[in-house]
Amino acid sequence: MTRPITTVDALIAAGLAPEAARPALDQVAKRYAMALTPAVVGLIGTPDDPVGRQYVPDAAELVTQPWEQDDPTADAAFSPVKGVVHRYPDRALLKPLLACPVYCRFCFRREHVGPDGGLLSAAELEAALAWFARTPAVREAILTGGDPLMLSPRRLGGLLARLAALEHIELLRLHTRVPVAAPGLVTEALLGALPRHKPVYVCVHANHAREFSAEAMRALAALQGAGVVLLGQSVLLAGVNDSVAALEDLFRAMLRARVKPYYLHQLDAAPGTARFAVPVARGRALLRELRGRVSGLAWPTYVQESPGGGGKRPLGPAWEVS
Ligand SMILES: *Cc1c(COP(=O)(O)O)cnc(C)c1O
Ligand code: SF4
C-alpha cells in the first residue's frame, strides 16, 4: 500500500473495520477527517491496539459528552490575527495550515483540522508575519496547525526564513507528527529548508514506543543531524499508554531516538473523545511509579490546559518535603 487510507471503504478493505460498522463510520467520516498513512497502517495489528486506537475511527466519536467543547483550549479568544494564537507574552503559535499526515481520533483541534481546510492565503500569511514583526515581546515562533511539515519544503523554508530574519525572534519551534506518521516527508529538501542561524526545536508528537519504527528513527536522526533539537510530546490516552510499562517504553524509545520527553498532556475534552480519558489521579499515580525507574532524562512535565484558555498547568505529581 502506498497511499493513505482516507475513506471508510479503504478502511474496511484494509481489514481495519468490519463491514457492519459502515453506517456509523460513514457518519463519523462526515464529521471528522480521517487519514492513516502507510507508515502508520504498518504499525497497526488490530484496530484497538495502541497504534490502531489513535487513528482508526470509532462509532463512539458520535457521542458527545456535556463537558466536551469544540475549542477546549480557547485558542479563538487569543487570536490577534488569523492563524496566530498569542496566550503568553514571549511566544506565539502560527498555524499556517490545518492539514495533518494522519488525523488522531483524540485531537483537541478535531473540529478544525482536515485535508482541505485552513491553509492561510498569501495575504493572511503576510498579515500573520506582520503581526510577528510588530510584536517584539515575542521571542519564539511556534509553528503548529495542522502539521507545519505538511507544507512543501519551499514554502516552509520561506516562512521560517522570514520569521528567523526578525531580530526579536530568538528561536523557532515546530510541532509535528510527520517524523513518526510520515517519515518519508523528512527529505533532504526539507532539511535544507531549515534555518541554521537560529535554533530550531522540533517537538514530535508520539504516544507509543511502537511509533518509533526504523524509518522514524532515521527521520529523527536526520533532523538532529541538521542541527534541530528534538523534544517529545505525548497525550495520556486510555488503551494506548495508560500503564507504567507503556509510558516507560515510550519515554525510553524517545531517548533512543534522541528525543527528550517534554510534555505529557492530559487529554483535552474535545467532542467524542471520552473513550481516551484517563483521570488525573491515575496519571499522577503512573508518573509517581515511573519516577526512579527511568532516567531523569525520560521524565516529561505532566500538563493540562486550564479551562477558558489560562494556559498549560503542571499537574505534578508532588512529593512531601522531608
Ligand atoms: C502550548 C502553547 C504554547 C507553548 O507552550 P510551552 O509551555 O512553551 O510549550 C504557546 N502558545 C500557546 C497558545 C499554547 O497553547
Ligand atoms: S497530528 Fe496533531 S493536529 Fe493533527 S490530528 Fe493529530 S493531534 Fe490533531
Side-chain angles (χ1 to χ4, degrees), residues 73 75 78 85-88 90-93 108-109 140 142 173 175 262-263 265 305 311-312:
T73 61
D75 280 5
F78 292 85
V85 185
H86 187 211
R87 198 189 322 270
Y88 305 105
D90 72 328
R91 56 207 192 275
L93 308 183
F108 72 107
R109 293 202 181 111
E140 179 177 357
I142 305 173
R173 195 200 310 182
H175 282 249
Y262 174 53
Y263 278 155
H265 294 270
E305 288 289 344
K312 292 173 192 66

Side-chain angles (χ1 to χ4, degrees), residues 277-304:
V278 178
V280 170
R282 171 84 180 136
R284 287 182 175 141
L286 289 169
L287 283 176
R288 186 178 279 275
E289 222 182 300
L290 205 60
R291 188 77 221 184
R293 263 175 80 139
V294 295
S295 162
L297 289 175
W299 189 254
T301 304
Y302 180 33
V303 290
Q304 177 174 44

Side-chain angles (χ1 to χ4, degrees), residues 113-126:
V113 295
D116 40 35
L119 183 66
L120 293 185
S121 69
E124 287 165 344
L125 198 57
E126 284 308 317

Side-chain angles (χ1 to χ4, degrees), residues 55 98-110 113 144-147 176-177 205 235:
Y55 305 113
L98 292 172
C100 302
V102 284
Y103 294 99
C104 311
R105 308 325 295 172
F106 51 85
C107 175
F108 72 107
R109 293 202 181 111
R110 62 194 327 237
V113 295
T144 176
D147 194 316
T176 180
R177 197 69 150 134
H205 172 188
V235 185

Side-chain angles (χ1 to χ4, degrees), residues 204-235:
V204 181
H205 172 188
N207 305 310
H208 194 268
R210 218 198 284 167
E211 293 178 281
F212 291 86
S213 64
E215 273 180 293
M217 299 288 278
R218 272 196 296 276
L220 290 164
L223 284 165
Q224 201 253 354
V228 164
V229 181
L230 294 170
L231 303 171
Q233 66 170 345
S234 310
V235 185

Side-chain angles (χ1 to χ4, degrees), residues 108-170:
F108 72 107
R109 293 202 181 111
R110 62 194 327 237
E111 299 289 336
H112 312 284
V113 295
D116 40 35
L119 183 66
L120 293 185
S121 69
E124 287 165 344
L125 198 57
E126 284 308 317
L129 287 166
W131 181 87
F132 275 91
R134 68 171 182 267
T135 313
V138 169
R139 298 159 185 258
E140 179 177 357
I142 305 173
L143 268 58
T144 176
D147 194 316
L149 294 194
M150 294 291 281
L151 292 170
S152 71
R154 190 184 51 82
R155 279 182 109 137
L156 179 66
L159 178 55
L160 291 172
R162 294 276 300 276
L163 289 165
L166 299 173
E167 205 174 330
H168 58 272
I169 293 293
E170 297 172 359

